[in-house]
């Protein structure tokens, strides 16, 4: 599994509305067969900065397959008006350990 990590910068005064929009958009990700996890994380040290972390089966599943769907378009329609600049996206894979909560 790979992780898409999107650094999203929004207008800080719009935080509650942005979080509500992402909650509304979550099913658009989770309904895709190659989506294996989804989380929105708020950066504590920087107002208005979030990390969207999505688990995918492959980079292609995210960058090609998902981006061709109407669900991707719906996600962008829900969230893009909050962006203060274009998101920065990277893909990672775990090489040691795992993330879990006790």
């Amino acid at each position: 599994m790979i992780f898409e990590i999107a650094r999203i910068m929004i207008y800080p005064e719009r935080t509650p509305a942005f979080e509500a929009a992402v909650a509304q958009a979550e099913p658009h990700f989770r309904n895709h067969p190659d989506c294996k996890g989804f989380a929105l994380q708020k950066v504590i040290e920087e107002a208005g900065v979030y990390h969207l972390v999505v688990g995918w089966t492959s980079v292609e599943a995210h960058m090609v397959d998902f981006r061709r769907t109407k669900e991707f378009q719906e996600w962008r329609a829900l969230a893009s008006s909050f962006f203060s600049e274009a998101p920065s996206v990277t893909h990672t894979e775990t090489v040691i350990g795992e993330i879990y909560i006790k």
Side-chain angles (χ1 to χ4, degrees), residues 2-9 29 50-56 58-59 62-64 66-67 72 75-76 83 85-92:
I2 63 96
F3 292 95
E4 163 200 0
I5 303 175
R7 181 178 171 88
I8 301 172
M9 300 177 75
F29 288 86
Y50 289 84
H51 290 164
L52 178 70
V53 182
V54 184
W56 295 102
S58 67
V59 173
H62 169 233
M63 296 298 292
V64 178
F66 178 66
R67 287 189 172 210
F72 174 75
W75 146 249
R76 292 299 287 215
F83 300 165
E85 60 184 67
S88 168
V89 177
T90 57
H91 295 92
T92 67

Side-chain angles (χ1 to χ4, degrees), residues 17-60:
F18 172 69
E19 291 176 7
V22 174
Q24 187 178 351
E26 182 177 0
H28 296 302
F29 288 86
R30 290 199 182 271
N31 290 337
H32 192 280
D34 291 311
C35 177
K36 301 303 177 188
F38 178 96
L40 180 67
Q41 300 176 340
K42 187 175 185 175
V43 175
I44 295 168
E45 294 85 1
E46 299 176 82
V49 179
Y50 289 84
H51 290 164
L52 178 70
V53 182
V54 184
W56 295 102
T57 57
S58 67
V59 173
E60 182 177 322

Side-chain angles (χ1 to χ4, degrees), residues 78-97:
L78 285 165
S80 63
S81 68
F82 296 96
F83 300 165
S84 60
E85 60 184 67
S88 168
V89 177
T90 57
H91 295 92
T92 67
E93 63 183 345
T94 302
V95 294
I96 297 173

